[in-house]
Amino acid sequence: MSTLHGLPEWGRCAVMGVVNVTPDSFSDGGRWFDTAAAVKRGIDLVADGADLVDVGGESTRPGASRVDEDEELRRVVPVVRGLAAEGITVSVDTMRASVAERALAAGAVLVNDVSGGLADPAMVPAVAAADAPFVVMHWRGFSHDMNDRAVYANVVTEVVDELRARMDAVVAGGVAPERIVLDPGLGFAKDAEHDLALVAHLGDLNALGRPLLVAASRKRFLGHVLAQDAKDGRPPRARERDAATAAVSAIAAHEGAWAVRVHEVRATADAVRIAHAVEAAR
Ligand code: PMM
């Protein structure tokens, strides 16, 4: 189990609940678009067993175009403030330094950047200046054409190498190594086989020596696997992938992940506890 400077110590794989304040996110777009509904959703996720809540205002679904900065701020900052006021540990999911800064000022304690600081050159300096914990995800480019970048000779070694290079750049930019969390970026410039290979080799990512965040929740690769046994051969809808998500949460926890990021918390909260108990019984 890895620990992370600047955040509570949960003693097991943590559960990060997701609140997407967007009209168009892949699995829950439009559901928590209003500030009050989004804050209530975050409170409900904590009641269900989330240890922290990740608030995002930009959809990164494949093919998505970018939201403008003012709109992202309008979506995210009041929700962060509302959740922090409830004493909830809040993370902000953004690729923009300005949004990260305003969210930290509003009470967020972790910056989750799916681009690992690549999308906005001001992000790494902003995170360094705030001395905030920082999630660095494996990323090869914006969502509008990321599927074209899903080309690997060996996805596991390439993701490990690219994450290591990114981590080195972030540290060179002033972020303390002990504040960095790494994330393989399931579904980002990856097809189903790539995602499965990464889940199968999470131990290789542990070799990077930093806490790992695994975000499989409702993603396409789960639908791809489940479609193979479906009567109509079609993948279940995103919201019908929560049991599959919990299965990955158990695997990730077993492999020592620091946290799993999920839309539906209850099953995953149980999964990480069972994984922890099994580990303790060894
Ligand atoms: N995936 C999404 C959004 N944010 N953050 C991290 N660190 N890792 C991810 O894999 C990730 C993320 C896309 O999922 P959603 O839009 O369905 O919530």
Side-chain angles (χ1 to χ4, degrees):
M1 186 67 45
S2 327
T3 61
L4 187 66
H5 282 219
L7 285 182
E9 170 60 65
W10 291 291
R12 55 162 166 71
C13 178
V15 181
M16 175 188 276
V18 179
V19 176
N20 284 321
V21 195
T22 61
D24 60 341
S25 277
F26 170 64
S27 69
D28 58 353
R31 296 195 72 195
W32 329 113
F33 194 41
D34 151 78
T35 298
V39 171
K40 179 170 186 314
R41 176 63 178 166
I43 292 169
D44 288 348
L45 290 174
V46 171
D48 283 349
D51 300 299
L52 68 169
V53 172
D54 191 38
V55 178
E58 174 170 6
S59 169
T60 50
R61 64 184 294 163
S65 51
R66 299 212 64 190
V67 64
D68 75 42
E69 180 179 344
D70 286 347
E71 175 63 10
E72 191 183 350
L73 286 165
R74 191 196 66 73
R75 293 177 185 179
V76 166
V77 174
V79 178
V80 169
R81 187 175 295 115
L83 290 172
E86 296 286 330
I88 291 171
T89 303
V90 181
S91 133
V92 60
D93 184 345
T94 184
M95 291 186 271
R96 284 198 172 96
S98 57
V99 177
E101 285 169 330
R102 293 271 299 276
L104 290 167
V109 293
L110 170 69
V111 177
N112 172 25
D113 179 354
V114 298
S115 81
L118 282 169
D120 182 348
M123 180 63 97
V124 170
V127 170
D131 213 11
F134 188 41
V135 177
V136 173
M137 197 192 82
H138 178 260
W139 187 81
R140 284 185 165 183
F142 290 103
S143 299
H144 66 95
D145 63 353
M146 70 177 171
N147 287 345
D148 300 341
R149 299 173 207 265
V151 181
Y152 302 86
N154 181 324
V155 66
V156 177
T157 56
E158 285 170 57
V159 166
V160 168
D161 290 349
E162 289 170 34
L163 268 179
R164 182 181 290 112
R166 199 58 221 137
M167 177 166 66
D168 290 349
V170 167
V171 171
V175 177
E178 60 272 14
R179 303 246 179 214
I180 294 176
V181 177
L182 298 175
D183 180 331
L186 300 175
F188 286 79
K190 290 158 198 94
D191 65 23
E193 275 71 31
H194 299 139
D195 288 338
L196 286 169
L198 286 164
V199 174
H201 293 92
L202 288 173
D204 293 26
L205 287 138
N206 280 329
L208 291 167
R210 295 306 310 143
L212 279 191
L213 173 64
V214 177
S217 188
R218 298 180 173 175
K219 283 190 175 161
R220 281 169 301 160
F221 79 102
L222 303 174
H224 177 87
V225 172
L226 299 176
Q228 291 163 15
D229 279 336
K231 283 199 185 76
D232 59 3
R234 288 161 58 153
R237 284 176 302 178
R239 273 180 238 158
E240 292 162 353
R241 299 177 194 168
D242 289 328
T245 299
V248 180
S249 296
I251 293 167
H254 180 72
E255 292 297 322
W258 167 75
V260 287
R261 176 187 181 278
V262 295
H263 302 88
E264 194 280 323
V265 160
R266 233 172 254 183
T268 278
D270 288 354
V272 299
R273 282 168 177 78
I274 298 298
H276 183 63
V278 169
E279 190 60 31
R282 274 174 180 244

